[in-house]
Amino acid sequence: MLTVATAAHGGRAPFRPDLAARPELPVRPSAPAAPPPRTAAPGAPLDVRPARLRDAAGLHALSRAFVRSGALRARPAGHYLDHVGEFLVAGGGGGTGDGLHGCLALRAEGPATAVLYNFCVAPGSQGRGVGSLLLSAAYARARRCGVRVMFTATTGSAALFLRHGFVPCAPADAPAGWAAALDPDRGSRVLRLTVR
C-alpha cells in the first residue's frame, strides 16, 4: 500500500498556476458535491484531470481511510473545497463521474518549488497504475508552471516515488516551513524530484 505523510497547509496561498493559461483550474464557483469514491471496475479506463469543486467531498471521503490508517494527516472537509485547485484526480474515463480512484495535490512553496501532498489511491484501485498516472500528471503540471523541484514525504517504502525519479533528501533540503510541519514521530522520509 502506498502511504504518504503530508504537512499541514500552514495558511499559505493555494498552488494556482497562471489561471489565464489554465482556465480548467477552478478558483471557487459554486458546484454540487461529488458522491463518495467507488473502486474502479477491472479494466475500466481512467483519466487524470484537475479536480473540480464538485470533487471536494469525494477527495475528503477518499482520504479518510488513509487518515484512519495513519498514512495521511487529517484535514477538514473545507480544506478540499478551499484548495481544490491544488488537486489532481484519477477518475472514470472521460470524467464521467464514475468516482475518484486516487488523488494528489501540488502546492507552491516558493519560487520554482512545490510540495506534493495528500497522495492516495483507493484500495480497490491499487496495483492498476493509478499512482503512476497521478505522479506523471503532477510532473507535467509542475513543469508547465515553472516548478524546478518537487518535495514529498512518505511513511511507506517510497518505491513508487523512487521509480518516478524522486531521491531521498534531508528535511533541511526541503522548504523550511513545510519540513518543520512534518511530525517526527511518524518516521517520514523526505524525497526530492528535479523537474526537467
Side-chain angles (χ1 to χ4, degrees):
M1 176 191 320
L2 175 67
T3 55
V4 179
T6 59
H9 182 263
R12 291 183 225 13
F15 181 79
R16 291 204 170 106
D18 178 24
L19 293 176
R22 304 267 305 147
E24 73 273 14
L25 294 177
V27 177
R28 198 176 164 109
S30 60
R38 297 184 302 170
T39 56
L46 295 175
D47 65 350
V48 174
R49 60 172 171 76
R52 301 176 186 126
L53 284 174
R54 67 176 176 255
D55 295 320
L59 289 166
H60 184 243
L62 175 63
S63 301
R64 273 195 304 250
F66 295 90
V67 170
R68 284 191 296 272
S69 75
L72 288 179
R73 289 197 179 184
R75 290 183 173 78
H79 174 87
Y80 299 94
L81 183 60
D82 292 341
H83 301 280
V84 73
E86 296 175 355
F87 281 86
L88 294 170
V89 297
T96 60
D98 290 339
L100 301 181
H101 306 290
C103 68
L104 60 73
L106 192 64
R107 180 181 68 235
E109 281 288 332
T113 304
V115 170
L116 187 148
Y117 74 98
N118 207 104
F119 184 18
C120 55
V121 175
S125 298
Q126 292 179 10
R128 294 185 48 214
V130 175
S132 290
L133 287 171
L134 285 164
L135 281 176
S136 295
Y139 182 89
R141 175 185 264 195
R143 196 162 180 233
R144 281 191 308 271
C145 297
V147 171
R148 303 305 303 153
V149 63
M150 285 192 298
F151 291 91
T152 195
T154 182
T155 59
S157 72
L160 180 63
F161 291 116
L162 296 172
R163 281 196 310 269
H164 282 268
F166 282 83
V167 295
C169 68
D173 295 338
W178 175 78
L182 295 173
D183 181 355
D185 292 337
R186 294 168 53 93
S188 297
R189 294 174 59 191
V190 177
L191 304 164
R192 172 189 173 127
L193 175 71
T194 300
V195 179
R196 300 188 195 296

